[in-house]
Amino acid sequence: SLPCPVCPNQNGTHSLTWAFSSLFGNYTTMCNKGHRTCSRLSPSLKAHLFDKKQDKPNIRLPKNLNSPFPSGNQNLDTELQNPELKKKPRKQAQTRITKNSLTILQWNADKRGNSTMNQLITLARESKADVICLQEIENVHWISALDYLAKHDLNLYVHNKVAFLVNTHTMDHRITNNWSDPDHDTTYLSIDTPLDGEILLVNAYIPNGVDKMAQQSEDLKKVEDQYKHILDNILDHDGAIICMDANETGEALDRVGLSLGNREIALTGSKAGLTTLGSLSTKLTDAHMNKNQDIYESKEFSADRYSHTQPSTGNKLIYSKIDRTLLTHNLIPKLASCKYISDVQDWGKGA
């Protein structure tokens, strides 16, 4: 069977619904599995659907057109190569509020976050988050509760293991485009900002164990290809913010084993520096490192340095700095804060 155009890695019978907007010239494709994507209408299809001489839209489709894709091809990623479809659509929000700030939450569900929806929604509301970047959501079943999320003013964008939850009041109308890397767990939002132009927000999950991948291995090459795709897209924007589970350490202190008995610490992070993540280091700055320099300059163990903790054999706790938020250098002067919220590590054992 053909892959679903909204979730291209899944085959089978998926019922689809299309919502067309004459105001913004785009259409939203919604799948009964809870996924959705937004794309630009081609000029010919827009003219056919919305006759400017009539007050009411013409909703009849041409006889040779079974979907919004001009070729009839159900593969969304192929059709997005069409420049007419790749133009930046705008999405309608319930309420438009002009904001000069941008608040982003990032949470790694660690594939075990089924009981976390209400906690995450509460945190988003209390922190006035505009966007939530989620990783490792493949076993998080509430992610498809679109009606419930909508009641809390959240719109969902899903791609494989990553997703965006977008505040419909403060952010949804500022999104000019949304697309994904068909070969990797990376998804993108183009955001129109009042003062800084068009900002690219990247949400990515990098495969586990980058530190141990052999040089020239096929696994490492896939990670390098994923970063190349990210870099290519950054160049088309005025600035970029990357939220990701990088699964890579940059120095020995980035991963430590703490013995709960004698409190001894073993440094197990990379001794060779960044590997694939190094390709981003010349263009981007680590936001947490920039706003918490005293933690990193001390070169001593501090729990505030690490984004992830997990128990290990031998009565140990493993602390790792593997989740990262990176900004292009031009956005660093605008960065107000970046901090880890330790309370969420108990949410379904996520990071």
Side-chain angles (χ1 to χ4, degrees):
S1 58
L2 292 173
C4 172
V6 185
C7 34
N9 289 337
Q10 298 185 27
N11 293 337
T13 303
H14 294 191
S15 63
L16 300 176
T17 302
W18 288 281
F20 299 87
S21 170
S22 60
L23 178 62
F24 296 104
N26 62 14
Y27 64 90
T28 300
T29 306
M30 295 166 283
C31 169
N32 68 326
K33 302 299 182 181
H35 297 171
R36 66 176 68 184
T37 190
C38 182
S39 300
R40 190 63 143 175
L41 285 168
S42 64
S44 59
L45 183 54
K46 183 179 179 182
H48 180 83
L49 291 173
F50 304 104
D51 185 351
K52 294 182 180 179
K53 296 180 181 180
Q54 302 180 26
D55 293 332
K56 296 182 179 180
N58 173 12
I59 60 173
R60 293 177 297 171
L61 293 176
K63 292 182 179 179
N64 63 344
L65 188 62
N66 297 318
S67 80
F69 309 122
S71 68
N73 189 338
Q74 295 295 309
N75 190 322
L76 179 62
D77 295 306
T78 300
E79 290 298 328
L80 283 178
Q81 302 308 311
N82 185 324
E84 292 296 336
L85 292 178
K86 205 169 183 179
K87 289 181 181 178
K88 299 163 185 174
R90 289 188 174 271
K91 302 199 73 179
Q92 189 174 10
Q94 296 175 0
T95 305
R96 295 188 176 220
I97 300 175
T98 301
K99 289 184 61 177
N100 294 328
S101 63
L102 177 62
T103 301
I104 301 171
L105 292 180
Q106 177 181 345
W107 185 57
N108 188 323
D110 243 1
K111 298 182 288 189
R112 295 177 291 181
N114 276 329
S115 61
T116 61
M117 178 166 60
N118 290 330
Q119 293 165 302
L120 185 63
I121 289 174
T122 298
L123 178 60
R125 182 172 59 248
E126 291 176 348
S127 61
K128 299 181 180 179
D130 299 298
V131 185
I132 307 171
C133 298
L134 303 173
Q135 295 108 25
E136 289 199 273
I137 60 166
E138 55 266 41
N139 293 331
V140 180
H141 302 307
W142 60 257
I143 205 72
S144 61
L146 299 182
D147 291 341
Y148 188 83
L149 292 170
K151 290 179 181 179
H152 290 275
D153 306 318
L154 294 170
N155 197 5
L156 178 70
Y157 299 79
V158 177
H159 174 65
N160 296 341
K161 296 182 179 181
V162 294
F164 291 113
L165 281 174
V166 175
N167 187 311
T168 58
H169 290 282
T170 65
M171 181 52 57
D172 216 22
H173 67 282
R174 293 165 61 182
I175 296 172
T176 59
N177 205 357
N178 164 235
W179 69 102
S180 300
D181 180 347
D183 300 318
H184 304 96
D185 295 310
T186 308
T187 188
Y188 303 90
L189 291 179
S190 288
I191 301 172
D192 184 25
T193 64
L195 301 178
D196 300 303
E198 191 171 57
I199 302 301
L200 179 66
L201 179 58
V202 184
N203 187 10
Y205 170 79
I206 308 300
N208 190 32
V210 176
D211 288 346
K212 297 180 181 180
M213 291 180 182
Q215 294 295 324
Q216 310 301 323
S217 67
E218 189 65 27
D219 288 339
L220 195 62
K221 184 179 183 302
K222 290 179 181 178
V223 177
E224 292 171 345
D225 289 344
Q226 186 170 0
Y227 280 130
K228 183 179 184 302
H229 194 277
I230 292 173
L231 282 170
D232 288 345
N233 282 277
I234 287 176
L235 297 176
D236 295 331
H237 292 75
D238 299 308
I241 303 168
I242 303 178
C243 297
M244 64 177 171
D245 180 357
N247 273 317
E248 178 181 349
T249 60
E251 58 179 289
L253 194 56
D254 279 355
R255 183 184 290 113
V256 303
L258 173 64
S259 174
L260 299 180
N262 56 20
R263 309 298 291 180
E264 288 186 354
I265 293 176
L267 307 184
T268 59
S270 172
K271 295 179 175 60
L274 295 171
T275 52
T276 56
L277 193 57
S279 63
L280 303 180
S281 61
T282 59
K283 298 182 180 298
L284 297 112
T285 298
D286 187 305
H288 190 261
M289 187 179 297
N290 179 268
K291 284 300 176 183
N292 302 274
Q293 294 183 17
D294 55 327
I295 297 175
Y296 294 88
E297 290 173 354
S298 71
K299 297 300 179 181
E300 296 180 358
F301 172 78
S302 169
D304 294 332
R305 178 191 180 104
Y306 304 99
S307 63
H308 183 271
T309 60
Q310 67 182 48
S312 181
T313 57
N315 196 28
K316 290 183 179 180
L317 274 180
I318 304 299
Y319 291 81
S320 305
K321 178 181 170 59
I322 53 176
D323 302 279
R324 296 181 183 266
T325 302
L326 307 176
L327 276 67
T328 48
H329 303 320
N330 63 313
L331 295 182
I332 286 298
K334 307 291 183 70
L335 180 63
S337 65
C338 182
K339 61 182 180 180
Y340 295 140
I341 304 173
S342 59
D343 294 347
V344 306
Q345 65 187 357
D346 295 323
W347 294 2
K349 302 302 180 183

